Amino acid sequence: MTEFGQYLASQLLAGIQTTVILFVGCALVGNLLAIPVALARLSAKAWLRYPAVAFILAFRGTPLLVQLYLCYFGVGQLLAGVPSIRYSPLWPMLRGAYCYAFLTLSLNTAAYCGEIWRGAIQSIPDGQREAGQSLGLSKTRIMISVLLPQAFRLALPAIGGQNILLLKGTALASTITVFELMGAANLVRAQTFRVYEPLFAAALGYFLLAVLVTTGFGFFERRLARRY
Amino acid sequence: MDSIVSWLTLLGFGDKGWGDELLRGALLSVEISISAYIVGLALGLAGALAKLSKRRTAVFVAVAYTTIIRSIPDILIIFLVYYTATDAVRSVVTFTGLASEFQINGFVAATLSLGIVQGGYSTEVLRGAIAAIPRGQAEAAHALGLTRRQTFFLVTLPQMIPLALPGLGNLWLVVLKESSLVSLIGFTELVLAGKMAAGATRAYFPFYCAIALVFLVMSSLSAMLFHALETSTVKTGRRR
C-alpha cells in the first residue's frame, strides 16, 4: 500500500470508530427519550402537552445543521460566560464539540421518533385500552403492557428509517469539529489536496454502515413478527 | 435588558444591523430550495418511470441511484457532486478552448448537488403514487387509442397528484431544511449569512436563534400551504 493509502486508511478507521460510538450512543438516548416525548405529547395535561409540542416543532422545523451550530457556538458561548461553569471541573468536557454533537443528535432523534411513536399509539384501536380497563388494569399498566408493545411493532419500520437518518446526520458533526468519518475524510482532503479518494472512501464507509443498520432492523422486525 | 437591546440592534436593518443580509440570505435559501425541488421532481419522475419500466438496465440504474442516495449522508453527496460536476465542466470548457479560466456559477452548482439528493427521495414518492393507480386505467386508455405519452399526461399524471401530495409536501420541507447544507460548499444562503454575521459580531447565540426562527416560520408556512392544497384536492375529488 502506498504511503497515502496507509494514511487515508488509518484516518478513516479512527473516523469510523467515532461515527459508530456517536451513532450508537445517540440512537440509545434518542430512541429511549422518544417514548416520554410521545406520551407527553398525547397527555391530557396542558403543562405536559405544550412543551412536548414546542420541542417537536422546534426540532422538526429547523435544519439539523442550524441546531448543531446553535447548540455548539450559541449555547457554548453562553456557558463560557458563566464563571461557575467556566471554572468548574466539567469545563474541559463542555468546551469540546463532542458533547454538543451528542446532545443535538439525541434530541433531534427523540423529536422525530417521538412523532412516530405518537402516530403508532394513536392508531391502536380504543377497544384495547377499554379491554385493559375492564380487566381492572391501572393506566400505567395498560400503557406498558397493552399499548406500547403494539405501538412498537407498528412504529418499528419508521423508526428504522429514522435511525438511518441519524446515521447520516452524524456526518454533520464534522461541521462543529468532531472528527468522525466525514471529518476524517475532510481532514485528509485538506492535508493532501486529493479530493476524490477520501470522499469516495468515506461514502463507501457510510454505505456499509447503513447496510449494517438496515439489516439489523430488518432482522429485528422479522423476529418480532415471528413471535406474535 | 441591555443585552436584549443590543441583540435587537444587531438583528435590525441598516448600517449596524445584519437584518438585510439575513433577509437576502433567506430569499436565496428559498430560491435554491425551489430550483432544487424542481430538479429533484424531474429526476424523481425519470427515476420512478425507470423503476416501473420493463427495461433491466433502467431498473438497475434507478435502484442503484436511490440506494446510494438513501444510504450516504447528503452532505457527502453534495461535496462529491460539487467537486465532480465543477471539475467535469471545467475540463470540458478548457479542453474545447472556450476559456482558460472558468468558474461554475455557485447557484447552479448548489442547485445541481441539492437536486440530485432530492431526486433520490422524490423517486420513491412518485413511484408509490404511480403504482397506486389501477392498471385498468392504462388499459382503458390503450383501448381508447391514446398514445403512451397521452396516457401518462392525461390519465396517470392527474390522478397521481392527489396521491403524491402528502409525500411531496414532506419533500418540500426536507429540501427547505437541506438547503442549509449548501452553506458548506460556500453558497451564501441564510445559514452562511448568519454564520458570517455571528463571526463578525461575536454574538453567536442571537444570530443562530434568529436563523432557526426564520426556518421555523418558513417550514410552518409551507406546512400550512400544503395542508390547504391537500384539503382542496380531496374536496374536488369528493364533489365528483
Side-chain angles (χ1 to χ4, degrees), chain B residues 41 44 48 119-131 160 163-171:
Chain B
L41 280 183
Y121 299 126
S122 340
T123 299
E124 292 305 305
V125 169
L126 296 176
R127 184 186 63 91
I130 296 176
M160 67 180 265
L163 293 175
L165 215 49
L168 292 181
N170 276 342
L171 284 182

PDB file of all heavy atoms in Angstrom, chain B residues 41 44 48 119-131 160 163-171:
ATOM      1  N   LEU B  41     -37.764  16.865  -8.667  1.00  0.00           N
ATOM      2  CA  LEU B  41     -39.001  16.274  -9.190  1.00  0.00           C
ATOM      3  C   LEU B  41     -38.777  15.687 -10.577  1.00  0.00           C
ATOM      4  O   LEU B  41     -39.267  14.597 -10.883  1.00  0.00           O
ATOM      5  CB  LEU B  41     -40.110  17.328  -9.253  1.00  0.00           C
ATOM      6  CG  LEU B  41     -40.816  17.641  -7.944  1.00  0.00           C
ATOM      7  CD1 LEU B  41     -41.929  18.642  -8.187  1.00  0.00           C
ATOM      8  CD2 LEU B  41     -41.382  16.363  -7.326  1.00  0.00           C
ATOM      9  N   GLY B  44     -36.821  12.642 -10.106  1.00  0.00           N
ATOM     10  CA  GLY B  44     -37.649  11.654  -9.440  1.00  0.00           C
ATOM     11  C   GLY B  44     -38.654  11.020 -10.386  1.00  0.00           C
ATOM     12  O   GLY B  44     -38.903   9.820 -10.336  1.00  0.00           O
ATOM     13  N   ALA B  48     -38.757   7.214 -11.167  1.00  0.00           N
ATOM     14  CA  ALA B  48     -39.947   6.408 -10.908  1.00  0.00           C
ATOM     15  C   ALA B  48     -40.357   5.634 -12.160  1.00  0.00           C
ATOM     16  O   ALA B  48     -40.663   4.445 -12.098  1.00  0.00           O
ATOM     17  CB  ALA B  48     -41.093   7.306 -10.446  1.00  0.00           C
ATOM     18  N   GLY B 119     -33.750  14.216  -5.805  1.00  0.00           N
ATOM     19  CA  GLY B 119     -34.282  13.287  -6.800  1.00  0.00           C
ATOM     20  C   GLY B 119     -34.403  11.870  -6.264  1.00  0.00           C
ATOM     21  O   GLY B 119     -35.351  11.153  -6.587  1.00  0.00           O
ATOM     22  N   GLY B 120     -33.439  11.467  -5.435  1.00  0.00           N
ATOM     23  CA  GLY B 120     -33.486  10.126  -4.862  1.00  0.00           C
ATOM     24  C   GLY B 120     -34.711   9.928  -3.994  1.00  0.00           C
ATOM     25  O   GLY B 120     -35.369   8.883  -4.039  1.00  0.00           O
ATOM     26  N   TYR B 121     -35.043  10.968  -3.193  1.00  0.00           N
ATOM     27  CA  TYR B 121     -36.223  10.853  -2.333  1.00  0.00           C
ATOM     28  C   TYR B 121     -37.519  10.944  -3.143  1.00  0.00           C
ATOM     29  O   TYR B 121     -38.474  10.239  -2.881  1.00  0.00           O
ATOM     30  CB  TYR B 121     -36.220  11.952  -1.261  1.00  0.00           C
ATOM     31  CG  TYR B 121     -35.034  11.910  -0.335  1.00  0.00           C
ATOM     32  CD1 TYR B 121     -34.224  13.013  -0.144  1.00  0.00           C
ATOM     33  CD2 TYR B 121     -34.715  10.747   0.351  1.00  0.00           C
ATOM     34  CE1 TYR B 121     -33.130  12.977   0.717  1.00  0.00           C
ATOM     35  CE2 TYR B 121     -33.632  10.694   1.212  1.00  0.00           C
ATOM     36  CZ  TYR B 121     -32.843  11.810   1.379  1.00  0.00           C
ATOM     37  OH  TYR B 121     -31.775  11.769   2.220  1.00  0.00           O
ATOM     38  N   SER B 122     -37.537  11.851  -4.162  1.00  0.00           N
ATOM     39  CA  SER B 122     -38.782  12.001  -4.941  1.00  0.00           C
ATOM     40  C   SER B 122     -39.103  10.742  -5.727  1.00  0.00           C
ATOM     41  O   SER B 122     -40.271  10.447  -5.950  1.00  0.00           O
ATOM     42  CB  SER B 122     -38.712  13.165  -5.926  1.00  0.00           C
ATOM     43  OG  SER B 122     -37.746  14.061  -5.597  1.00  0.00           O
ATOM     44  N   THR B 123     -38.057  10.011  -6.166  1.00  0.00           N
ATOM     45  CA  THR B 123     -38.297   8.779  -6.914  1.00  0.00           C
ATOM     46  C   THR B 123     -39.262   7.870  -6.166  1.00  0.00           C
ATOM     47  O   THR B 123     -40.243   7.384  -6.736  1.00  0.00           O
ATOM     48  CB  THR B 123     -36.965   8.038  -7.154  1.00  0.00           C
ATOM     49  OG1 THR B 123     -36.109   8.875  -7.907  1.00  0.00           O
ATOM     50  CG2 THR B 123     -37.195   6.745  -7.910  1.00  0.00           C
ATOM     51  N   GLU B 124     -38.998   7.679  -4.868  1.00  0.00           N
ATOM     52  CA  GLU B 124     -39.823   6.749  -4.092  1.00  0.00           C
ATOM     53  C   GLU B 124     -41.260   7.255  -3.955  1.00  0.00           C
ATOM     54  O   GLU B 124     -42.210   6.493  -4.091  1.00  0.00           O
ATOM     55  CB  GLU B 124     -39.207   6.546  -2.707  1.00  0.00           C
ATOM     56  CG  GLU B 124     -37.893   5.810  -2.734  1.00  0.00           C
ATOM     57  CD  GLU B 124     -37.990   4.467  -3.436  1.00  0.00           C
ATOM     58  OE1 GLU B 124     -38.832   3.653  -3.050  1.00  0.00           O
ATOM     59  OE2 GLU B 124     -37.223   4.243  -4.395  1.00  0.00           O
ATOM     60  N   VAL B 125     -41.405   8.569  -3.675  1.00  0.00           N
ATOM     61  CA  VAL B 125     -42.753   9.124  -3.509  1.00  0.00           C
ATOM     62  C   VAL B 125     -43.556   8.990  -4.796  1.00  0.00           C
ATOM     63  O   VAL B 125     -44.705   8.532  -4.799  1.00  0.00           O
ATOM     64  CB  VAL B 125     -42.654  10.602  -3.081  1.00  0.00           C
ATOM     65  CG1 VAL B 125     -44.010  11.280  -3.170  1.00  0.00           C
ATOM     66  CG2 VAL B 125     -42.110  10.721  -1.678  1.00  0.00           C
ATOM     67  N   LEU B 126     -42.935   9.375  -5.935  1.00  0.00           N
ATOM     68  CA  LEU B 126     -43.656   9.347  -7.207  1.00  0.00           C
ATOM     69  C   LEU B 126     -43.919   7.916  -7.662  1.00  0.00           C
ATOM     70  O   LEU B 126     -44.978   7.621  -8.218  1.00  0.00           O
ATOM     71  CB  LEU B 126     -42.868  10.115  -8.266  1.00  0.00           C
ATOM     72  CG  LEU B 126     -42.720  11.612  -7.966  1.00  0.00           C
ATOM     73  CD1 LEU B 126     -41.843  12.286  -8.997  1.00  0.00           C
ATOM     74  CD2 LEU B 126     -44.085  12.285  -7.927  1.00  0.00           C
ATOM     75  N   ARG B 127     -42.956   7.023  -7.403  1.00  0.00           N
ATOM     76  CA  ARG B 127     -43.163   5.623  -7.784  1.00  0.00           C
ATOM     77  C   ARG B 127     -44.379   5.053  -7.055  1.00  0.00           C
ATOM     78  O   ARG B 127     -45.238   4.396  -7.645  1.00  0.00           O
ATOM     79  CB  ARG B 127     -41.929   4.794  -7.451  1.00  0.00           C
ATOM     80  CG  ARG B 127     -42.007   3.349  -7.905  1.00  0.00           C
ATOM     81  CD  ARG B 127     -40.819   2.577  -7.413  1.00  0.00           C
ATOM     82  NE  ARG B 127     -40.778   2.523  -5.948  1.00  0.00           N
ATOM     83  CZ  ARG B 127     -41.324   1.563  -5.234  1.00  0.00           C
ATOM     84  NH1 ARG B 127     -41.932   0.576  -5.822  1.00  0.00           N
ATOM     85  NH2 ARG B 127     -41.270   1.588  -3.925  1.00  0.00           N
ATOM     86  N   GLY B 128     -44.455   5.354  -5.753  1.00  0.00           N
ATOM     87  CA  GLY B 128     -45.594   4.874  -4.977  1.00  0.00           C
ATOM     88  C   GLY B 128     -46.912   5.390  -5.533  1.00  0.00           C
ATOM     89  O   GLY B 128     -47.884   4.642  -5.655  1.00  0.00           O
ATOM     90  N   ALA B 129     -46.928   6.691  -5.906  1.00  0.00           N
ATOM     91  CA  ALA B 129     -48.166   7.288  -6.414  1.00  0.00           C
ATOM     92  C   ALA B 129     -48.562   6.683  -7.754  1.00  0.00           C
ATOM     93  O   ALA B 129     -49.740   6.400  -8.001  1.00  0.00           O
ATOM     94  CB  ALA B 129     -47.991   8.800  -6.546  1.00  0.00           C
ATOM     95  N   ILE B 130     -47.575   6.460  -8.634  1.00  0.00           N
ATOM     96  CA  ILE B 130     -47.897   5.879  -9.944  1.00  0.00           C
ATOM     97  C   ILE B 130     -48.380   4.439  -9.769  1.00  0.00           C
ATOM     98  O   ILE B 130     -49.368   4.021 -10.379  1.00  0.00           O
ATOM     99  CB  ILE B 130     -46.671   5.917 -10.881  1.00  0.00           C
ATOM    100  CG1 ILE B 130     -46.278   7.371 -11.185  1.00  0.00           C
ATOM    101  CG2 ILE B 130     -46.974   5.185 -12.191  1.00  0.00           C
ATOM    102  CD1 ILE B 130     -45.032   7.498 -12.021  1.00  0.00           C
ATOM    103  N   ALA B 131     -47.692   3.704  -8.890  1.00  0.00           N
ATOM    104  CA  ALA B 131     -48.039   2.297  -8.703  1.00  0.00           C
ATOM    105  C   ALA B 131     -49.429   2.141  -8.097  1.00  0.00           C
ATOM    106  O   ALA B 131     -50.068   1.105  -8.266  1.00  0.00           O
ATOM    107  CB  ALA B 131     -46.985   1.616  -7.826  1.00  0.00           C
ATOM    108  N   MET B 160     -52.369  10.890 -10.154  1.00  0.00           N
ATOM    109  CA  MET B 160     -51.348  10.614  -9.150  1.00  0.00           C
ATOM    110  C   MET B 160     -51.043  11.824  -8.277  1.00  0.00           C
ATOM    111  O   MET B 160     -50.529  11.679  -7.186  1.00  0.00           O
ATOM    112  CB  MET B 160     -50.067  10.088  -9.794  1.00  0.00           C
ATOM    113  CG  MET B 160     -49.351  11.109 -10.642  1.00  0.00           C
ATOM    114  SD  MET B 160     -47.864  10.428 -11.372  1.00  0.00           S
ATOM    115  CE  MET B 160     -46.655  10.966 -10.177  1.00  0.00           C
ATOM    116  N   LEU B 163     -52.567  11.715  -4.851  1.00  0.00           N
ATOM    117  CA  LEU B 163     -51.952  10.619  -4.090  1.00  0.00           C
ATOM    118  C   LEU B 163     -50.562  10.994  -3.616  1.00  0.00           C
ATOM    119  O   LEU B 163     -50.121  10.599  -2.536  1.00  0.00           O
ATOM    120  CB  LEU B 163     -51.863   9.362  -4.967  1.00  0.00           C
ATOM    121  CG  LEU B 163     -53.170   8.702  -5.354  1.00  0.00           C
ATOM    122  CD1 LEU B 163     -52.912   7.551  -6.303  1.00  0.00           C
ATOM    123  CD2 LEU B 163     -53.880   8.200  -4.106  1.00  0.00           C
ATOM    124  N   ALA B 164     -49.832  11.761  -4.454  1.00  0.00           N
ATOM    125  CA  ALA B 164     -48.445  12.084  -4.128  1.00  0.00           C
ATOM    126  C   ALA B 164     -48.322  13.306  -3.232  1.00  0.00           C
ATOM    127  O   ALA B 164     -47.264  13.549  -2.663  1.00  0.00           O
ATOM    128  CB  ALA B 164     -47.652  12.304  -5.419  1.00  0.00           C
ATOM    129  N   LEU B 165     -49.420  14.078  -3.096  1.00  0.00           N
ATOM    130  CA  LEU B 165     -49.321  15.381  -2.439  1.00  0.00           C
ATOM    131  C   LEU B 165     -48.765  15.340  -1.005  1.00  0.00           C
ATOM    132  O   LEU B 165     -47.882  16.151  -0.683  1.00  0.00           O
ATOM    133  CB  LEU B 165     -50.684  16.084  -2.474  1.00  0.00           C
ATOM    134  CG  LEU B 165     -50.628  17.598  -2.622  1.00  0.00           C
ATOM    135  CD1 LEU B 165     -49.710  18.023  -3.743  1.00  0.00           C
ATOM    136  CD2 LEU B 165     -52.009  18.163  -2.841  1.00  0.00           C
ATOM    137  N   PRO B 166     -49.221  14.411  -0.134  1.00  0.00           N
ATOM    138  CA  PRO B 166     -48.623  14.394   1.215  1.00  0.00           C
ATOM    139  C   PRO B 166     -47.114  14.150   1.168  1.00  0.00           C
ATOM    140  O   PRO B 166     -46.350  14.822   1.852  1.00  0.00           O
ATOM    141  CB  PRO B 166     -49.342  13.220   1.897  1.00  0.00           C
ATOM    142  CG  PRO B 166     -50.599  13.045   1.138  1.00  0.00           C
ATOM    143  CD  PRO B 166     -50.293  13.429  -0.273  1.00  0.00           C
ATOM    144  N   GLY B 167     -46.703  13.214   0.332  1.00  0.00           N
ATOM    145  CA  GLY B 167     -45.276  12.929   0.189  1.00  0.00           C
ATOM    146  C   GLY B 167     -44.513  14.109  -0.385  1.00  0.00           C
ATOM    147  O   GLY B 167     -43.416  14.427   0.065  1.00  0.00           O
ATOM    148  N   LEU B 168     -45.134  14.787  -1.361  1.00  0.00           N
ATOM    149  CA  LEU B 168     -44.475  15.944  -1.973  1.00  0.00           C
ATOM    150  C   LEU B 168     -44.330  17.080  -0.969  1.00  0.00           C
ATOM    151  O   LEU B 168     -43.335  17.809  -0.979  1.00  0.00           O
ATOM    152  CB  LEU B 168     -45.255  16.421  -3.195  1.00  0.00           C
ATOM    153  CG  LEU B 168     -45.260  15.472  -4.395  1.00  0.00           C
ATOM    154  CD1 LEU B 168     -46.056  16.076  -5.540  1.00  0.00           C
ATOM    155  CD2 LEU B 168     -43.848  15.170  -4.854  1.00  0.00           C
ATOM    156  N   GLY B 169     -45.336  17.227  -0.076  1.00  0.00           N
ATOM    157  CA  GLY B 169     -45.245  18.238   0.975  1.00  0.00           C
ATOM    158  C   GLY B 169     -44.075  17.962   1.903  1.00  0.00           C
ATOM    159  O   GLY B 169     -43.303  18.860   2.243  1.00  0.00           O
ATOM    160  N   ASN B 170     -43.928  16.686   2.297  1.00  0.00           N
ATOM    161  CA  ASN B 170     -42.794  16.309   3.137  1.00  0.00           C
ATOM    162  C   ASN B 170     -41.478  16.603   2.442  1.00  0.00           C
ATOM    163  O   ASN B 170     -40.536  17.097   3.052  1.00  0.00           O
ATOM    164  CB  ASN B 170     -42.854  14.820   3.478  1.00  0.00           C
ATOM    165  CG  ASN B 170     -43.750  14.566   4.665  1.00  0.00           C
ATOM    166  OD1 ASN B 170     -44.045  15.481   5.418  1.00  0.00           O
ATOM    167  ND2 ASN B 170     -44.191  13.341   4.817  1.00  0.00           N
ATOM    168  N   LEU B 171     -41.419  16.285   1.132  1.00  0.00           N
ATOM    169  CA  LEU B 171     -40.184  16.506   0.377  1.00  0.00           C
ATOM    170  C   LEU B 171     -39.815  17.977   0.335  1.00  0.00           C
ATOM    171  O   LEU B 171     -38.649  18.339   0.405  1.00  0.00           O
ATOM    172  CB  LEU B 171     -40.336  15.991  -1.050  1.00  0.00           C
ATOM    173  CG  LEU B 171     -40.274  14.496  -1.243  1.00  0.00           C
ATOM    174  CD1 LEU B 171     -40.403  14.166  -2.719  1.00  0.00           C
ATOM    175  CD2 LEU B 171     -38.964  13.960  -0.710  1.00  0.00           C
TER     176      LEU B 171
END
